[in-house]
Amino acid sequence: MGKGGSLSEGVIKNIVLSYTYVAIWIFLSFTVIVYNKYILDKKMYDWPFPISLTMIHMSFCSTLAFLLIKVFNFVEPVSMSRDTYLRSVVPIGALYSLSLWLSNSAYIYLSVSFIQMLKALMPVAVYSIGVMFKKEGFKSETMVNMLSISFGVAIAAYGEARFDVWGVVLQLGAVAFEATRLVLIQILLTSKGITLNPITSLYYVAPCCLGFLFIPWIVVEFPVLRETSSFHFDYVIFGTNSFCAFALNLAVFLLVGKTSALTMNVAGVVKDWLLIAFSWSVIKDTVTPINLFGYGIAFLGVAYYNHAKLQAMKAKEAQKSAQQIDEESGRLLEEKEGGRKIEPED
């Protein structure tokens, strides 16, 4: 029983750890979304300055990332030339800053539940932009799936009780910029063999985001903040909010490192349903049956998309393993034949 017992204990331990990482990521992601909504919504904390909030996050995250990499050596920095940084990281940072700015702005106009429904369009945007940049091949079956997701989100939008055109434009813009960023990461970094985990990503990208956000902040929000003489920086609110945002990135690092990116996608679906339930029961946002019906269609489309990606990954791994076996067999056969040639004659 020794070996069998220890093996089962190890398996159980891995399962428990995996579920723990998933639970931590869901909790932190949930907390950051609700916390941002609380700060930005005019009916709650009433601090409708999404650029300022994003800049606070980026300042906090870049400082902590610097400490973790340069002082505590928590993760190894990635060697990167100045040319690579300017050509690859800067465009990604620009897109990330726009994505964060617009997504945080949407919380002022839309409910948490409806924003989660609109985020279901992310696979559609990533696939469409991937096809545009020739990183994805066009497939009729995949396009039909993308259309089904879009159709479901359209139904959910039709049934939205608190529909706001400007809020929808902001959230769709955030989805488009984020999808473009994800595709560009493959083109500009992954293709060059550069892999950034969430910590090194913040170390390189967060200061860049801060620089890009400073320009619209000076024009849009700084004049209003300057006139609001009664405002005092709430260190407790903004400090804990920023810490949650950084902890979320650390949780992504742990979740993807210990499980897989696909696990995070599945966990994301669970988180979205929890947020919709929370938005309806606690925040008292209106969630209509048409909302749920439309999001249900989109949810099935996203689930099928994740399933198809998993099958494709498995097929690719199987093909790679078969190729390695063939190469190894060929090498052994060559060695055997070579050995026969040099054998001395009787």
Side-chain angles (χ1 to χ4, degrees), residues 28-313:
L28 288 170
S29 182
F30 184 99
T31 302
V32 168
I33 289 170
V34 174
Y35 212 157
N36 287 352
K37 172 69 175 177
Y38 168 75
I39 291 172
L40 295 166
D41 198 304
K42 294 179 181 179
K43 295 178 183 177
M44 298 181 189
Y45 189 76
D46 190 22
W47 199 69
F49 300 101
I51 305 176
S52 301
L53 182 63
T54 308
M55 289 181 72
I56 291 169
H57 288 172
M58 290 297 102
S59 300
F60 188 88
C61 288
S62 55
T63 302
L64 274 187
F66 176 83
L67 290 174
L68 284 174
I69 291 174
K70 292 295 186 181
V71 178
F72 299 109
N73 297 317
F74 184 75
V75 291
E76 287 293 325
V78 178
S79 63
M80 189 182 300
S81 67
R82 183 180 177 183
D83 184 64
T84 302
Y85 183 83
L86 292 174
R87 290 175 178 271
S88 302
V89 175
V90 169
I92 291 168
L95 290 167
Y96 193 40
S97 62
L98 288 167
S99 171
L100 291 172
W101 171 17
L102 297 184
S103 62
N104 281 333
S105 299
Y107 287 113
I108 300 172
Y109 305 96
L110 302 176
S111 66
V112 170
S113 57
F114 187 45
I115 286 174
Q116 299 315 118
M117 294 176 189
L118 290 174
K119 284 181 179 179
L121 288 170
M122 183 61 73
V124 180
V126 171
Y127 177 72
S128 302
I129 293 168
V131 170
M132 192 186 308
F133 282 96
K134 297 181 179 178
K135 291 300 292 181
E136 293 274 0
F138 179 84
K139 295 179 182 177
S140 300
E141 183 183 355
T142 307
M143 185 51 69
V144 169
N145 187 27
M146 297 299 108
L147 289 173
S148 70
I149 296 172
S150 304
F151 180 66
V153 173
I155 293 174
Y158 177 77
E160 174 60 22
R162 192 187 158 191
F163 188 88
D164 185 283
V165 175
W166 180 236
V168 171
V169 169
L170 288 171
Q171 185 55 48
L172 292 180
V175 168
F177 284 124
E178 179 64 9
T180 307
R181 182 183 77 91
L182 293 173
V183 173
L184 281 187
I185 285 174
Q186 292 182 344
I187 297 171
L188 299 178
L189 294 178
T190 309
S191 62
K192 297 177 181 177
I194 301 171
T195 304
L196 299 178
N197 62 52
I199 308 301
T200 51
S201 179
L202 285 175
Y203 175 75
Y204 289 108
V205 175
C208 188
C209 286
L210 202 57
F212 279 111
L213 289 168
F214 184 75
I215 299 168
W217 179 75
I218 284 290
V219 177
V220 179
E221 293 186 1
F222 177 67
V224 182
L225 285 167
R226 188 174 52 187
E227 292 173 8
T228 313
S229 56
S230 59
F231 172 73
H232 297 285
F233 190 85
D234 193 329
Y235 287 96
V236 175
I237 290 290
F238 294 109
T240 53
N241 178 247
S242 298
F243 181 78
C244 286
F246 182 81
L248 176 59
N249 281 279
L250 194 59
V252 171
F253 174 57
L254 290 173
L255 181 61
V256 176
K258 301 297 181 181
T259 57
S260 67
L262 189 66
T263 301
M264 195 176 79
N265 288 342
V266 175
V269 172
V270 176
K271 177 209 68 180
D272 290 343
W273 280 108
L274 288 173
L275 277 167
I276 290 169
F278 181 86
S279 178
W280 170 72
S281 61
V282 179
I283 303 178
K284 302 301 179 184
D285 287 332
T286 303
V287 179
T288 67
I290 298 176
N291 271 150
L292 293 176
F293 176 71
Y295 184 63
I297 294 173
F299 163 73
L300 290 174
V302 172
Y304 180 78
Y305 173 76
N306 286 333
H307 172 73
K309 286 199 76 173
L310 177 61
Q311 295 303 115
M313 285 168 59

